[in-house]
Amino acid sequence: MVTSEPKQSAIDSVIAKFSNGHFQSALDEALSLLVDFPKNALLHNITGACYMELGEYKFAIKSFDKAIAINTEYAKAYYNLGAAYHELSQYEESIKSYERSIVIDSDYAEAHNNLGNVYRDAQQHDNAILSYEKAISISPDYVEAQYSLAMTYKDLDQLEAMIQHLEKVIAINPGLAEVHSSIGLGLYELGQLKEAVLMYQKALNIKPDNSEVCNNLGNAFIGLGNPQEAVNSYQKALKINPDYPAFHNNLGNAYKEMGKLEEAVKSFNEALHYNPDNVESLNNLGIALFESGEIQIAVKTLKKAIELKPDYEDTYLNLSEILKKNDQNDEAIKCLKSAITINPNNIDIYNNLGTLYYADNLLEEALLTFESAIKINPNVAEVFNNIGNTLKDLERFDEAFESYEKALNLNEESAEFHNNFGSLLSENLSRHDDAIKSFKKAISIEPLFFAAHLNLAHTFFEIQQFDEAIQAYISTMAIKSDLSNILSSLFNAKMNCCNWDDFQILLNTKDIKIRSYNNLMVFAPFTLMGLIDDPALQRKTAELDTNGFHPKNTDLPITELYPKHPKIRIGYFSADFSDHPVALLTAGLYEEHDRDHFEIHAFSFGPDTKDEMNLRIKAGVDHFHNVESMSHMEIVNLARSL
């Protein structure tokens, strides 16, 4: 008896071989049957499925097309055809095939899910979400659809939605370690580190030998400030996978966090053993070596990282910091300029470069660089603070005031910013009451901030509130007893208000302090002159003060010999050309110069009082220059021009 259909047993044999993974045998048997039964749609569909598993997608497409030509309502064949086109990244054809399958069988959950996969790969996320949701509405316990929907939300950086759907997967199948791990990653990215740790630990309870999860758990512990637990986790990861360089690198970072630099260096070197050209490990090794005191090796290591990856800006930043701390500011500046060519929009580079210029007293260059940083991001408080410092040194006090205010508006909890603002208010704007408020605010934020205590003391002294100044100086000494000139400042405040409490005890200690600190400024020479009559000590304190506060300066070029003038020109500089003891003692000096041979200039950087003594001095010199509002550089240039 002749039949147009193959026996069911023959079909079952092909399906069994396919199901057991014997794809070539299944294909051979199906092709053999098709010789006798070329109009059998099921055989063509099975043949296509075999080709799919063997990676022969074009042959698979031909087989599915034949099945569909025989049976135009064959939903499974359209479904398989869509999968073949998807493998070839022919998304449009794949979408059409899956949609045709769904038209034939609208409750085909797998077709909706796979259509979602195609949309996701085609970056059509909204359509992907709709397809996954349809699959889930048909089959609420469809784990793959829930997981794929979660990963689509991850693609969209909607981590809360991702976690929500992954939790639904866990509710369906709580034994999926990778899903617990994915939830942990989402929580980590959201900054929910404690919750992330719990999820990673659940994943490891299910699958203890997952080295990647152990590593991620270590990262979470680092974020929680628990480097020891991080070390334990990274070590577990390495026990499972000892050849993975990233785990060694992360272990090194944890050791460095703990201050175990020797172990950190060893771990970074181990990472480089498995991946010698890993720039991140070289960068981290360079930092650890520097912190270990191996400066030259650290510099060499970071330069090697730059050679391997010239566009790795982090290495330039780290190298510049090391060079700066090693007093190689010129090299550090070159380093940061190179970093700017790599990323001209990195505000940290400009801020660091501006700080270097500021340290070298290149104030105009510093200001321009900080302003470049602000153009990139006008909401960084530290940069406005640095601009304020620079403008203050440039004696552009009103502009400095505005910059400090902007810094504090962005970060009112910075003790440093309040202290700097207070210094401007006190030293340059004579707003002492406001300055006191700023210093007290800085101290309330950071009670052991000795600079704020010291500035508060100086301000109280300036407005002759000597009792308050004494207490502030004592508070400063309690924090930093060896601070330069602090003892002399305390003496000065005490003497100004006739406070002789413990005076003799303090007086007995000052000689010890001056003699015991080598090249350390511990006492202001002017104050010392009012206390003792020891020329050797007076000379030593003067030398220490001069070398410390007024070192040799090379900002200006050496002056050439000036042309001969008919008269020798002499300039006197003072803030006290007024009713003041200095003026009283020197007024006659200016008047008595032999005008046939000398030309006398006075440069006044004090207030123009126009009192009797001020008018006498103006009349007693040949030229009187009021330079109170001029910067130091402008005063120097004026004097040189004369």
Side-chain angles (χ1 to χ4, degrees), residues 248-293:
H248 288 285
N249 181 73
N250 291 346
L251 178 60
N253 284 330
Y255 277 132
K256 187 161 74 68
E257 192 81 11
M258 296 173 68
K260 295 185 175 182
L261 297 176
E262 185 176 346
E263 291 89 339
V265 168
K266 183 178 179 182
S267 293
F268 293 135
N269 279 322
E270 196 70 19
L272 291 165
H273 170 74
Y274 293 106
N275 187 356
D277 294 340
N278 186 279
V279 175
E280 183 180 354
S281 295
L282 283 167
N283 180 60
N284 292 337
L285 175 60
I287 298 168
L289 287 167
F290 170 72
E291 292 179 2
S292 301

Side-chain angles (χ1 to χ4, degrees), residues 18 93 113 137 152 178 385-386 404 416 446 580 589 596:
F18 180 87
E93 292 83 352
N113 178 71
S137 69
T152 305
E178 64 273 16
N385 176 66
N386 291 338
Y404 286 134
E416 179 189 355
E446 193 174 326
H580 186 278
L589 171 66
D596 292 333

Side-chain angles (χ1 to χ4, degrees), residues 288-346:
L289 287 167
F290 170 72
E291 292 179 2
S292 301
E294 301 286 349
I295 297 173
Q296 298 306 319
I297 303 175
V299 170
K300 184 178 179 181
T301 302
L302 291 174
K303 285 184 176 179
K304 181 180 179 183
I306 289 171
E307 287 176 10
L308 289 169
K309 190 173 175 58
D311 60 347
Y312 191 48
E313 62 194 80
D314 286 352
T315 308
Y316 289 97
L317 282 164
N318 291 327
L319 179 57
S320 70
E321 282 297 302
I322 292 174
L323 292 168
K324 181 178 74 172
K325 290 176 181 177
N326 201 35
D327 295 325
Q328 295 178 262
N329 278 16
D330 289 345
E331 289 299 313
I333 288 170
K334 289 179 184 177
C335 197
L336 289 174
K337 285 183 175 179
S338 297
I340 287 174
T341 63
I342 297 165
N343 185 358
N345 295 313
N346 186 331

Side-chain angles (χ1 to χ4, degrees), residues 512-531:
I512 298 171
K513 283 183 173 289
I514 295 168
R515 294 186 187 280
S516 63
Y517 288 87
N518 185 28
N519 294 327
L520 179 65
M521 297 168 290
V522 293
F523 216 94
F526 194 79
T527 303
L528 188 68
M529 292 174 70
L531 292 169

Side-chain angles (χ1 to χ4, degrees), residues 460-619:
F460 278 133
F461 186 92
E462 182 69 21
I463 60 176
Q464 299 185 20
Q465 294 185 20
F466 299 118
D467 290 333
E468 291 84 351
I470 289 168
Q471 293 307 313
Y473 283 129
I474 290 172
S475 297
T476 307
M477 290 180 69
I479 301 168
K480 193 172 178 62
S481 61
D482 61 348
L483 188 65
S484 297
N485 292 339
I486 185 64
L487 187 59
S488 62
S489 296
L490 178 59
F491 265 110
N492 208 9
K494 279 178 168 287
M495 288 189 290
N496 270 275
C497 64
C498 298
N499 182 335
W500 313 116
D501 295 341
D502 300 323
F503 198 83
Q504 191 59 46
I505 296 172
L506 290 169
L507 192 61
N508 291 338
T509 63
K510 60 101 183 72
D511 181 57
I512 298 171
K513 283 183 173 289
I514 295 168
R515 294 186 187 280
S516 63
Y517 288 87
N518 185 28
N519 294 327
L520 179 65
M521 297 168 290
V522 293
F523 216 94
F526 194 79
T527 303
L528 188 68
M529 292 174 70
L531 292 169
I532 65 168
D533 188 22
D534 184 335
L537 282 181
Q538 289 178 349
R539 174 169 179 151
K540 182 172 183 178
T541 56
E543 288 174 344
L544 291 171
D545 186 85
T546 302
N547 292 333
F549 287 111
H550 310 286
K552 185 176 181 180
N553 190 301
T554 57
D555 287 350
L556 292 165
I558 296 173
T559 54
E560 301 294 332
L561 289 176
Y562 55 77
K564 287 185 178 181
H565 303 303
K567 299 178 182 180
I568 295 174
R569 298 177 180 179
I570 297 178
Y572 289 96
F573 295 78
S574 178
D576 300 321
F577 291 134
S578 59
D579 187 9
H580 186 278
V582 169
L584 181 65
L585 293 169
T586 59
L589 171 66
Y590 316 136
E591 296 166 346
E592 291 300 322
H593 278 290
D594 182 353
R595 290 304 198 271
D596 292 333
H597 298 96
F598 296 95
E599 179 181 305
I600 308 305
H601 294 252
F603 296 84
S604 174
F605 48 92
D608 189 16
T609 60
K610 295 184 173 63
D611 56 40
E612 184 178 349
M613 182 57 69
N614 177 259
L615 296 174
R616 176 185 170 184
I617 292 172
K618 287 178 178 176

Side-chain angles (χ1 to χ4, degrees), residues 401-474:
F401 181 95
E402 293 177 2
S403 291
Y404 286 134
E405 278 199 322
K406 288 177 182 177
L408 287 165
N409 287 336
L410 291 166
N411 180 9
E412 63 178 0
E413 293 304 312
S414 170
E416 179 189 355
F417 298 172
H418 284 287
N419 180 62
N420 291 346
F421 191 35
S423 296
L424 174 75
L425 292 167
S426 177
E427 297 170 14
N428 309 113
L429 299 177
S430 297
R431 292 174 56 174
H432 301 299
D433 290 341
D434 291 332
I436 288 169
K437 291 177 184 177
S438 291
F439 296 135
K440 286 184 174 180
K441 178 65 175 177
I443 292 167
S444 71
I445 297 168
E446 193 174 326
L448 298 180
F449 190 11
F450 77 87
H453 285 276
L454 181 63
N455 287 331
L456 178 62
H458 289 335
T459 304
F460 278 133
F461 186 92
E462 182 69 21
I463 60 176
Q464 299 185 20
Q465 294 185 20
F466 299 118
D467 290 333
E468 291 84 351
I470 289 168
Q471 293 307 313
Y473 283 129
I474 290 172

